[in-house]
Amino acid sequence: MSAPEIKKSILDHLTYSIGRPPSLASKQDYYKALALTVRDRLQQHWVETVQAYLEQDLKVACYLSAEFLMGPHLGNNLLNLGIENEVRQAVKEMGCELDELLAEEEEPGLGNGGLGRLAACYMDSLATLERLALGYGIRYEFGIFDQEIRDGWQCEITDKWLRSGNPWEIAKPEITYYVNFGGHTEYYRDEAGAERIRWVPDRAVKGMAYDTPIQGYRVNTCNTLRLWSAEACESFDFQAFNTGDYYGAVDDKVISETITKVLYPNDEPEIGKRLRLLQQYFFVSCSLQDMLRLLDAQGQPTQRFPEKFAVQLNDTHPSIGVAELMRLLVDERRLSWEDAWDITVLTFGYTNHTLLPEALETWPLPLFRELLPRHLEIIYEINARFLASVRETHHQDDEHVKRLSLIDENGEKRIRMAHLACVGSHAINGVAALHSELLKRSVLKDFYELWPERFNNKTNGVTPRRFMALANPKLSELITRTIGDGWITHTEELRMLEPFSEDAAFRKEWRLVKQSNKQQLADYILKQTGIELDPSWMFDVQVKRIHEYKRQHLNILHVITLYNRLKRDPKLAIAPRAFIFGGKAAPGYFIAKRIIKLINAVGEVVNNDPDVNKKLRVAFVPNFNVQNGQLIYPAADLSEQISMAGKEASGTGNMKFTLNGALTIGTLDGANVEIRDEVGEENFFLFGLTTEETLRLQQQGYRPYAYVEGNSELAEAIRLIASGHFSHGDTEVFRPLVDNLCQSDPFLVFADYADYIACQDKVAGVWKDPENWTRMSILNTARAGKFSSDRAIREYCDEIWDVRPVPIMIKDKT
Ligand code: GLG
C-alpha cells in the first residue's frame, strides 16, 4: 500500500465511516479513519485465511483464556504489515503526526498481568508462524482498572476503554449462542425409548461474537480473536411489560449484561465469586458451541472434533469446558459416554500457571449445583469412573483416592477445577522448567504418578515484534544494521551479536541507544510524576503486579539501606541509581496496597533530601500497562526478578528485559533459571535461597526476627519504617507491614536480605565499568533468543496440538 493510497483511504473513511469533513476532524477521528484503513487491509488477509480453512481439511488451535491483554493494536499492525513509513508519510501530508495518532488509542486491557499478556503474545506468534488459530475469551466492557496514585496510595478508576468505540473489532450479530443457567435436571425417554437426562434451566443469556483480526508479521495469515459479549435473550419480558411493570421488564436484560461487565482484577485469584463462575461458563460454552457449528458447517462428523480442534485451557479458568463438551456431546449430540470422553480427552490440553495454593480454583458445591446442575452430575460421573479406574488399575488406598478426587471433601465440599482439567486433558504443562518439575512434585504429584506421559514443560516466551521491534526501534535498527533483520522471526540469530560485544565502537552505539531510551522514559516519568531522573544514572527497574511473593518490599529495603549509608556518610561514593517501580495491586489486597504506599513514601523522603538525592531517586510509574511497558523495558539497565524461589511460575517481564539488554538481579525462580543458563552465570546477578532451601528453612521453623537481630543494616531499615520516618511521624500506617515481616514473613524477605544487599553491592561494582556492563548487556540480548513466543508456540504446535503451518496465498491483490 502506497502513501497516496493510504491517504485516499483515510479520507474516504473520514467521510463514509465517520462522517466528518477533514476540516472538522479531531485527532481521534483521524486515528479511527487510519485504524479502519489498516483494518480493511487485515480483512483481505482474514478472508483468505478463513477461505483456506474452509477449503482444506485443517486443524485449528483454539486458545481458551479468560484474559487477553492485547495492548494497543495500531502500532503493532503497522509493524506486522510493514507499512509504517508509508502511513507516517500519508498522515504527515494531512497535517498529522503518526505518534499523536498512536497516542489516541485506548489500550484494551482485558487481562491482569502475565497470564493475559502471554495469551496475546501467543496469538501474535501463531499468526506469524502461519498456524490457524482462534483465541476465545470475554469482551469485558471494563478491563483492568486504571491506577492513579493519590498521596502515595493506589486509587482505582474504571477502565472505560470502549467509550470512544473500538475500530478493531467487528460485531458478528449472526454468531450468537444461548447459554443456560440454573434450574434442574430430569429423566425423559427419547424417541427410541431410551432413558436420558435433560437439563431444564431457568435462565438463558445470549452470547454475541466480536472478532478482532490478528495479523502475523509479514505473512498473509490473519487469525481471529473472538470475544463474547453477554446480552439478554429478549430486550423485554413481554409478560411483565404488558402488565405494566416496565422497569421490571428490563431487569433481566440488566442482569444478563452484567456477566461480561468487568474483569476481575485479581492476578492470582482466590475469590469464589458467583459472577466469576458465570463468566467462565458463559465464554466456554459459547466457544465450544462455536467449534461444533464450524465442524457442522464443514460437513464433518462429530467424531472428528479432536482432529479439527486442539483446545488449550489457559489455567483452570476455562476448565469447566471439560464438563461442557461432555454435555454437548452426550446430551445434545447423543454420543455414548465412552465416545464423548475419548473426544474430550483428545481435545483438551491444560496449562498450569501457578503453584500458590490459594490461587488454585475450587468452587463450593452448593453454588455449582445452583448454577450448573447438569454439569455437577457430569462431574460426579467423570469422578466416579475416574476413581473406579484408579482403584482397579492402580490399587490405590483410600487416602490416595481422596487426594485425587474432583471433589474436596475436607470441610465444605468444593469442586477442584485443576483436577477436572487434569482428568479431562491429554497434556498437562507448566510454564518454565522449574515450575513443571515442582508441579510434578507438589500440587499435581498424584496425577503425575498416574499419568507421567501427560506431563510436559512449555517455557513461556514473549513476542519480539511488540517487545523489541516496536518498543525499541533504535536498538532494533542497530541490530538489523549489524546482523540483518532475520532475528525478528528467528531470535536465535541474535547470537550473531556475540562477537560485537568485543567491538568498542559497537558498544558505544549500544550505549547511546540505551541512553536515548532512558531519556525518553525520564521525560515520561517527569510528566507523569514530576520526578526528575538523570539518564546517566543506573535505571534499576521492577515492574509487575504488586504481590508479597514478588517482594517489592525487599527492593525498597535496599533503597532504605543505601539511604541510611548516605545519611551516615554523605560523601560515600556510591553509583547513582534511579529506582523505578510500577504495578497494580488487587483492589482488595491490603498488604500489597501498603507496599505501594511505602514505595511512594520512601520516594518522597529520598527525592527531597539534598543529602541523598544526588545519588538516589525513587519513582513509581502510575498505571503500569502494555503501553508504558513498551517505554520501560527498553530503558532498563537492571531488571529486578526477586521473587521467593518456588513461587513465580515463570515470569515473562524477565524475558522482555533480557531481550532489551537489561542485566538481571534475580533468584533461582521460574524462568530466571533458564535465562541464567542461556546468558551465562557470569552475566547474571544471582542471589537468594533455592526452592529446597526455602522449604527446609520453613520446615525447621522460620524466625524472621532472628535475621533483624543479626543484621544491623536490616534492623536500622525496619526501625526507620516503624518510627514513622517515611510517614510524617505516623507510626500506624506501616505497622501491618512491619508486623507481618517481623512476625511471619511468609515470603522470606528477611532471610534473603543480606544476600540481596551483597549482590546489589556487586551490581554497583560492575556498573562502575561501563565497557564491561555494556559487554554483558549485549550478551544478554544476544543469548535471549530462546525466550521468543515463536519458540514456545512451535513447541505447543508440534508436541501438543499437532497444528501445522499453512501459508496463505492472496489470490486477487487488487
Ligand atoms: C502467571 C504466573 C507467572 C507466569 C504467567 C504466565 O504468576 O509467573 O509468567 O502466569 O504463565 N498469574 C500469572 O501471571
Side-chain angles (χ1 to χ4, degrees), residues 114-115 118 267-268 353 431 460 549 648-652:
L115 174 144
L118 185 76
D267 191 42
E268 306 270 2
H353 293 267
V431 289
N460 285 165
Y549 86 76
E648 189 71 270
S650 163
T652 44

Side-chain angles (χ1 to χ4, degrees), residues 209-269:
Y210 284 79
D211 286 355
T212 302
I214 306 294
Q215 171 68 46
Y217 177 78
R218 312 284 159 98
V219 291
N220 294 321
T221 302
C222 187
N223 284 324
T224 302
L225 174 63
R226 180 160 287 170
L227 302 180
W228 302 103
S229 176
E231 304 185 352
C233 291
E234 305 295 340
S235 296
F236 286 105
D237 172 349
F238 282 102
Q239 193 75 36
F241 189 56
N242 288 334
T243 57
D245 182 9
Y246 182 86
Y247 293 101
V250 289
D251 247 18
D252 190 42
K253 180 171 158 66
V254 175
I255 292 165
S256 309
E257 288 174 358
T258 57
I259 291 185
T260 52
K261 263 283 165 225
V262 61
L263 167 78
Y264 277 93
N266 292 54
D267 191 42
E268 306 270 2

Side-chain angles (χ1 to χ4, degrees), residues 612-766:
V612 300
N613 70 9
K614 285 165 202 78
K615 285 168 188 151
L616 295 182
R617 295 273 168 111
V618 181
F620 189 96
V621 183
N623 201 38
F624 175 56
N625 59 12
V626 176
Q627 196 159 17
N628 58 38
Q630 289 175 203
L631 269 181
I632 294 170
Y633 298 115
D637 295 304
L638 187 67
S639 154
E640 298 271 351
Q641 306 301 333
I642 60 178
S643 52
M644 170 182 159
K647 295 293 174 190
E648 189 71 270
S650 163
T652 44
N654 47 3
M655 302 170 182
K656 295 165 197 169
F657 281 112
T658 305
L659 278 162
N660 284 287
L663 308 191
T664 303
I665 180 165
T667 50
L668 281 179
D669 200 14
N672 297 353
V673 179
E674 291 156 80
I675 291 176
R676 180 166 169 269
D677 283 347
E678 291 292 307
V679 305
E681 58 179 27
E682 67 285 6
N683 300 306
F684 186 105
F685 298 103
L686 178 71
F687 78 96
L689 299 171
T690 63
T691 306
E692 284 70 27
E693 287 164 345
T694 64
L695 294 172
R696 215 175 307 132
L697 180 58
Q698 286 176 323
Q699 270 159 19
Q700 286 164 359
Y702 172 54
R703 286 199 316 113
Y705 206 71
Y707 291 83
V708 178
E709 289 164 342
N711 188 312
S712 59
E713 287 201 301
L714 176 57
E716 172 72 354
I718 292 296
R719 195 193 59 73
L720 218 55
I721 299 172
S723 73
H725 184 82
F726 300 110
S727 40
H728 307 281
D730 181 345
T731 53
E732 288 308 308
V733 57
F734 298 124
R735 190 191 294 276
L737 203 54
V738 169
D739 286 353
N740 176 283
L741 286 173
C742 293
Q743 286 158 24
S744 60
D745 188 13
F747 299 100
L748 307 184
V749 171
F750 287 178
D752 269 343
Y753 170 85
D755 199 25
Y756 180 58
I757 298 297
C759 191
Q760 285 286 18
D761 290 343
K762 217 169 89 192
V763 170
V766 176

Side-chain angles (χ1 to χ4, degrees), residues 10-53:
I10 293 175
L11 287 170
D12 281 351
H13 275 297
L14 272 181
T15 306
Y16 301 119
S17 309
I18 296 167
R20 280 274 158 81
S23 56
L24 291 183
S26 64
K27 287 271 177 300
Q28 176 67 208
D29 294 328
Y30 273 103
Y31 155 70
K32 264 192 210 140
L34 171 58
L36 292 172
T37 296
V38 173
R39 196 184 77 181
D40 289 344
R41 187 61 185 279
L42 301 184
Q43 299 251 66
Q44 299 173 352
H45 294 181
W46 201 6
V47 167
E48 297 293 344
T49 305
V50 171
Q51 196 64 28
Y53 169 73

Side-chain angles (χ1 to χ4, degrees), residues 444-623:
L444 300 181
K445 178 168 187 281
D446 294 313
F447 288 95
Y448 174 63
E449 284 166 4
L450 214 51
W451 300 309
E453 70 286 355
R454 289 192 189 188
F455 282 74
N456 67 96
N457 173 246
K458 294 285 167 282
T459 297
N460 285 165
V462 302
T463 171
R465 269 75 63 189
R466 183 179 290 271
F467 290 106
M468 293 184 75
L470 185 63
N472 201 342
K474 295 197 182 81
L475 194 70
S476 300
E477 189 277 325
L478 173 59
I479 295 173
T480 295
R481 180 156 37 88
T482 310
I483 62 168
D485 67 359
W487 62 272
I488 299 175
T489 45
H490 296 87
T491 45
E492 61 282 2
E493 291 184 14
L494 289 168
R495 289 258 174 196
M496 291 194 276
L497 289 172
E498 277 191 32
F500 293 92
S501 66
E502 298 303 327
D503 175 338
F506 184 81
R507 283 201 301 267
K508 184 160 179 218
E509 287 198 85
W510 191 268
R511 256 194 315 277
L512 284 174
V513 166
K514 182 64 86 183
Q515 199 67 16
S516 141
N517 292 340
K518 287 163 75 175
Q519 182 65 58
Q520 245 185 308
L521 178 61
D523 293 345
Y524 176 79
I525 289 177
L526 178 63
K527 212 163 124 216
Q528 298 298 316
T529 67
I531 299 166
E532 216 171 315
L533 302 181
D534 180 339
S536 71
W537 293 17
M538 183 200 305
F539 278 18
D540 176 335
V541 186
Q542 187 172 24
V543 287
K544 50 182 75 240
R545 287 301 286 246
I546 312 293
H547 207 297
E548 288 166 276
Y549 86 76
K550 297 177 189 277
R551 302 199 294 191
Q552 281 90 357
H553 39 356
L554 179 57
N555 188 343
I556 205 75
L557 282 173
H558 174 232
V559 179
I560 298 173
T561 302
L562 294 182
Y563 168 80
N564 285 334
R565 287 180 188 173
L566 275 173
K567 285 304 270 186
R568 243 178 280 132
D569 175 10
K571 294 208 184 60
L572 191 73
I574 73 161
R577 274 204 218 202
F579 292 88
I580 298 167
F581 292 84
K584 296 174 186 178
Y589 190 167
F590 179 82
I591 294 273
K593 290 181 115 172
R594 286 213 177 212
I595 292 176
I596 294 179
K597 173 69 180 170
L598 177 63
I599 294 168
N600 284 305
V602 171
E604 202 191 313
V605 169
V606 167
N607 298 341
N608 293 307
D609 184 338
D611 288 349
V612 300
N613 70 9
K614 285 165 202 78
K615 285 168 188 151
L616 295 182
R617 295 273 168 111
V618 181
F620 189 96
V621 183
N623 201 38

